[in-house]
Amino acid sequence: MMKLAVLATLAASAAAFAPVQTGKASTALNAFEGELGSQPPIGFFDPLGLLDEADQERFDRLRYVEVKHGRIAQLAFLGNIVTRAGAHFGGNIDKAGHAFDSYPNGWAAIYGADAIPVKGALQIFSFIGLLEIAVMKDMSGFGNEFPGDLRNGTFKSGWDKFDDETKFQKRAIELNNGRAAMMGILGLMMHEQLGGSIPIVGEM
């Protein structure tokens, strides 16, 4: 099951490097080449043509999704590195006495012979769903400044002290780190299925 998911992801990634028509792409290039994320050395990069004839609302929606996935990937990648280094919560994960470090790392913790029980997985996914629906979302009326700004009226003093140039730079750093993390966690998932050992990460 996991191997099929990895193969499907690889096929989608390969499609990103396929040739595209330049006629429609030029329209998107002219409209969004100055947006955050269009930066050297690659510049504007839309090989799948997702922004062909797109308006600002469409762009903002895709940017919101990209930022959110990047944040999730950063947490996932860091979680893999930390747990594979041997760092786990102390104590037990349930009343039956199963310790946090008694379960395997990575995908094996969710799916496999030694995975956490189904009820435990359901609790985790339910909590994530609650965050998605009620907490981690862009709420109107709070003056959020950009796609992915989920402060919703909180932490204003810390962010507002920066000038526009610094804000733009910090957003660019987060976006690039998220892109790198998406590739990183995909690589870890692939190597986990292939087995072997990776420097720093250790045995997969």
Side-chain angles (χ1 to χ4, degrees):
M1 177 180 176
M2 184 57 190
K3 292 181 179 179
L4 290 176
V6 171
L7 288 174
T9 306
L10 285 175
S13 300
F17 297 95
V20 295
Q21 297 180 351
T22 57
K24 292 182 179 180
S26 62
T27 303
L29 174 61
N30 294 334
F32 303 112
E33 63 180 351
E35 291 284 352
L36 178 73
S38 177
Q39 54 201 41
I42 297 177
F44 182 80
F45 186 68
D46 181 29
L48 295 181
L50 297 177
L51 293 175
D52 289 351
E53 301 181 359
D55 55 14
Q56 188 65 45
E57 182 179 0
R58 169 68 173 168
F59 177 86
D60 288 345
R61 171 59 184 168
L62 292 174
R63 172 50 48 82
Y64 173 81
V65 172
E66 180 184 20
V67 170
K68 180 173 71 172
H69 287 176
R71 290 168 177 169
I72 294 171
Q74 289 177 75
L75 290 172
F77 186 84
L78 181 61
N80 254 276
I81 298 298
V82 170
T83 54
R84 291 184 186 280
H88 299 85
F89 288 116
N92 300 324
I93 195 173
D94 56 26
K95 294 182 179 179
H98 298 107
F100 280 96
D101 59 4
S102 65
Y103 292 100
N105 301 310
W107 179 256
I110 301 296
Y111 182 81
D114 299 321
I116 61 176
V118 174
K119 291 183 179 180
L122 289 176
Q123 291 179 45
I124 294 174
F125 286 114
S126 297
F127 178 68
I128 294 173
L130 176 64
L131 292 177
E132 176 75 13
I133 295 173
V135 181
M136 305 303 294
K137 65 178 185 177
D138 189 347
M139 302 178 185
S140 60
F142 287 97
N144 294 335
E145 300 177 12
F146 51 85
D149 183 1
L150 307 182
R151 292 175 298 148
N152 300 319
T154 61
F155 304 106
K156 294 183 68 67
S157 59
W159 179 254
D160 292 343
K161 69 180 181 182
F162 300 120
D163 56 33
D164 291 340
E165 182 179 357
T166 302
K167 288 180 179 180
F168 191 87
Q169 181 185 29
K170 289 184 177 296
R171 290 175 58 203
I173 291 172
E174 181 193 26
L175 185 62
N176 284 335
N177 286 348
R179 290 170 172 173
M182 284 188 274
M183 299 301 294
I185 191 61
L186 176 61
L188 287 179
M189 292 169 66
M190 290 173 53
H191 280 285
E192 185 174 359
Q193 300 305 307
L194 296 173
S197 178
I198 301 178
I200 301 178
V201 179
E203 288 293 328
M204 300 298 290

